[in-house]
Amino acid sequence: AVNKQAAVTAGLMPLAECEVVIVHTQPQGGEARLRGEQDMMVKLSPILNTTLYTAVAGPALASKLLYLCLKHYTLASTTVTGIPMKEEQNASSSANYDVELFHLGESHIKLLGDVSDLTLSRRED
């Protein structure tokens, strides 16, 4: 009803799609108490979808949030490895660093062909 009202009211715009993502976190060592489908999108109406994710607090939660960002914004990551950097404390030695870059996922398609699994390859264990 609200969406129909927005369609005919000046200054308002109706929703074309709404996706509600819920991330349930739990402490490390705790057991999952949620019942029902997880990590699956459920279509509640023609414009409303919901997805429930569960993640253990700590590094697993950070990985899950990164996965959700990559998925939501259609991003992919590329890691550049072995970049030499001189240490300020010891200018005579250098250490190698790895840098992860985030960019549009379509660039992988242009360079490598269909690699649809790369965008979502960072899944939680």
Side-chain angles (χ1 to χ4, degrees):
V2 174
N3 216 24
K4 290 179 184 176
Q5 172 114 17
V8 297
T9 304
L12 296 179
M13 186 167 47
L15 292 175
E17 182 179 11
C18 180
E19 182 178 352
V20 177
V21 176
I22 300 168
V23 179
H24 173 258
T25 59
Q26 55 193 40
Q28 292 181 352
E31 63 182 71
R33 296 184 200 141
L34 293 178
R35 296 187 182 129
E37 296 294 327
Q38 296 179 31
D39 295 3
M40 287 184 54
M41 184 180 294
V42 176
K43 191 169 191 78
L44 299 176
S45 76
I47 62 168
L48 179 61
N49 302 316
T50 184
T51 309
L52 171 65
Y53 294 98
T54 300
V56 176
L61 177 58
S63 294
K64 180 63 79 176
L65 293 176
L66 177 59
Y67 161 76
L68 291 172
C69 287
L70 292 175
K71 179 181 173 189
H72 180 78
Y73 292 105
T74 317
L75 298 175
S77 73
T78 299
T79 304
V80 180
T81 60
I83 301 171
M85 298 275 255
K86 292 221 182 253
E87 299 290 334
E88 287 185 25
Q89 297 87 2
N90 191 359
S92 63
S93 69
S94 66
N96 288 334
Y97 289 91
D98 298 341
V99 176
E100 186 172 16
L101 305 171
F102 300 107
H103 50 83
L104 290 176
E106 67 187 35
S107 62
H108 277 174
I109 295 169
K110 290 178 182 176
L111 290 171
L112 306 171
D114 182 19
V115 288
S116 57
D117 60 330
L118 286 180
T119 301
L120 305 177
S121 64
R122 296 186 62 97
R123 291 188 181 255
E124 175 186 322
D125 294 24

